[in-house]
Amino acid sequence: MLSAPLWSQGQYVKSATCHVNTLPSVHHCQVPCGSLGSSKHTKKNYTIRTVQSHEAAIRSKHPQPAQPPDRSECLPCQGHDALPRSNAGDVKGDTLIDIGSGPTIYHLLSACEKFNEIIISDYTDGNRQELEKWLKKEPGAFDWTPAVKYVCELEGQREKWAEKEEKLRKKVKQVLKCDVRKPNPLAPVTLPAADCLLSMLCLEAACKDLGTFRAAVKNISSLVKPGGHLVLNTVLKGTYYLVGQHNFSCLGLDRESVEAAVRDAGCIIEHIQEAPEPAPGSISDYTDLVSLVARKQHAA
Ligand SMILES: C[S@@+](CC[C@H](N)C(=O)[O-])C[C@H]1O[C@@H](n2cnc3c(N)ncnc32)[C@H](O)[C@@H]1O
């Protein structure tokens, strides 16, 4: 479960709470969305759980069409408050790298308004193939339209959803293999340092222990230029999550460990929010969500 950042009016605000559980080989996503902070929408403080990205995730593993989403699962329910706006300043720039994208694009829908080039990445072939299918509008590509419309609505332009999809497709320049455990997570590709590094719900799935997590934060931070932003979302205190019948481990993090890892990676935290966000149903046992924006320091 996660929060997708909304780069709204030049500011990072929380827009979408997304329940996502994904592992290298199998993916279960219950996506979007959530509470948001724009004045226009402050009364919309809810989470919509959908099975749409779940469907995308399952497809990335199983090429056969999944069951159509059960609309009864798309329920407005209580979410948590929006992040205060403007604490993080203006998160924007030329390039954004998303690490551990999964088969999903929901979290890039607002970012594509603030960056000229977006590089997306994932560890698994299946997820990258699913992303390519959507980018190329191939038959059988997952239909993200409801999520796109929702984000456009949050941005106050629901009718512009088709343009938004096209804009994101144009801005995504590469889909790369990544492994956060490597010093250069995108090896063998070497990219110029980016203005922003985004990673949603990836590190706790990828790292088995705190040492690996701390190293992974350093590794992904190395992809950001000094003065650039690191935008991270992680769930806390989870130990497992279910994907269908499969039970996967999750690194049980606490806020202090996340903050320390980010600081030790040479970043100053500009904004952080920890919010209670119990895992829906019995798919996991995480309890909270941490969303943070940090700025990479210039070398001393
Ligand atoms: C819970 S999913 C999150 C996906 C997506 N960011 C989202 O919010 O929907 C975790 C992702 O981390 C990826 N992952 C697992 N191990 C990884 C690793 N060592 N390096 C990079 N990504 C990894 C998985 O393939 C999966 O797509």
Side-chain angles (χ1 to χ4, degrees), residues 259-289:
E259 288 186 69
V262 170
R263 280 196 305 268
D264 288 354
C267 301
I268 294 174
I269 296 172
E270 294 188 334
H271 179 83
I272 183 162
Q273 176 172 303
E274 178 181 351
E277 192 73 42
S282 57
I283 63 161
S284 183
D285 58 350
Y286 60 79
T287 57
D288 299 86
L289 170 70

Side-chain angles (χ1 to χ4, degrees), residues 1-4 14-19 30-35 46-48 79-80 106 277 289:
M1 181 274 296
L2 242 226
S3 295
K14 177 173 177 234
S15 74
T17 299
C18 303
H19 298 270
Q30 292 179 309
V31 172
C33 292
S35 45
Y46 54 77
T47 299
I48 295 175
H80 48 74
Y106 68 92
E277 192 73 42
L289 170 70

Side-chain angles (χ1 to χ4, degrees), residues 10-296:
Q11 297 165 335
Y12 171 85
V13 298
K14 177 173 177 234
S15 74
T17 299
C18 303
H19 298 270
V20 183
N21 287 283
T22 313
L23 274 181
S25 57
V26 189
H27 310 272
H28 174 102
C29 308
Q30 292 179 309
V31 172
C33 292
S35 45
L36 103 128
S38 87
S39 54
K40 220 172 156 186
H41 302 287
T42 43
K43 292 192 177 152
K44 289 191 178 181
N45 179 20
Y46 54 77
T47 299
I48 295 175
R49 290 191 294 126
T50 83
V51 294
Q52 290 156 350
S53 71
H54 169 79
E55 186 186 7
I58 295 297
R59 280 186 186 198
S60 71
K61 175 70 178 169
H62 307 290
Q64 296 303 315
Q67 293 294 316
D70 174 358
R71 299 294 164 189
S72 68
E73 291 195 34
C74 304
L75 300 172
C77 57
Q78 196 61 38
H80 48 74
D81 291 338
L83 292 178
R85 298 173 72 202
S86 83
N87 289 15
D90 200 4
V91 180
K92 64 180 181 181
D94 191 36
T95 50
L96 177 143
I97 299 173
D98 181 37
I99 291 287
S101 308
T104 69
I105 54 89
Y106 68 92
H107 53 302
L108 302 169
L109 291 166
S110 284
C112 77
E113 305 295 340
K114 295 294 169 186
F115 292 89
N116 298 323
E117 297 197 355
I118 296 176
I119 289 108
I120 58 181
S121 67
D122 199 74
Y123 184 77
T124 73
D125 297 342
N127 281 341
R128 295 195 307 280
Q129 284 159 11
E130 197 67 29
L131 290 166
E132 294 277 13
K133 268 205 285 193
W134 184 82
L135 290 168
K136 294 173 184 162
K137 299 189 198 176
E138 289 175 0
F142 185 73
D143 178 12
W144 283 100
T145 307
V148 179
K149 286 181 178 168
Y150 184 75
V151 171
C152 287
E153 186 181 334
L154 298 184
E155 293 178 343
Q157 294 194 303
R158 184 176 171 87
E159 71 288 353
K160 297 274 178 80
W161 65 270
E163 289 99 312
K164 167 83 82 182
E165 285 196 343
E166 285 319 295
K167 184 180 277 187
L168 179 54
R169 285 189 172 101
K170 281 202 182 89
K171 291 200 171 179
V172 174
K173 304 298 183 191
Q174 298 186 69
V175 181
L176 298 176
K177 165 96 179 171
C178 72
D179 185 344
V180 296
R181 297 164 300 184
K182 293 185 174 172
N184 170 12
L186 299 173
V189 175
T190 303
L191 293 179
D195 295 291
C196 183
L197 190 292
L198 173 64
S199 191
M200 315 278 288
L201 297 179
C202 168
L203 299 181
E204 62 272 48
C207 303
K208 298 289 180 220
D209 53 60
L210 191 55
T212 310
F213 174 81
R214 291 170 58 82
V217 174
K218 279 192 182 142
N219 295 339
I220 64 173
S221 302
S222 73
L223 301 171
V224 186
K225 63 173 67 160
H229 283 103
L230 174 68
V231 178
L232 272 189
N233 271 17
T234 60
V235 291
L236 302 183
K237 303 179 190 121
T239 60
Y240 78 95
Y241 57 93
L242 296 176
V243 181
Q245 302 300 312
H246 303 272
N247 190 324
F248 295 96
S249 69
C250 175
L251 180 60
L253 293 163
D254 55 49
R255 173 182 172 151
E256 291 70 32
S257 302
V258 175
E259 288 186 69
V262 170
R263 280 196 305 268
D264 288 354
C267 301
I268 294 174
I269 296 172
E270 294 188 334
H271 179 83
I272 183 162
Q273 176 172 303
E274 178 181 351
E277 192 73 42
S282 57
I283 63 161
S284 183
D285 58 350
Y286 60 79
T287 57
D288 299 86
L289 170 70
V290 161
S291 310
L292 72 82
V293 178
R295 196 184 279 270
K296 186 165 172 181

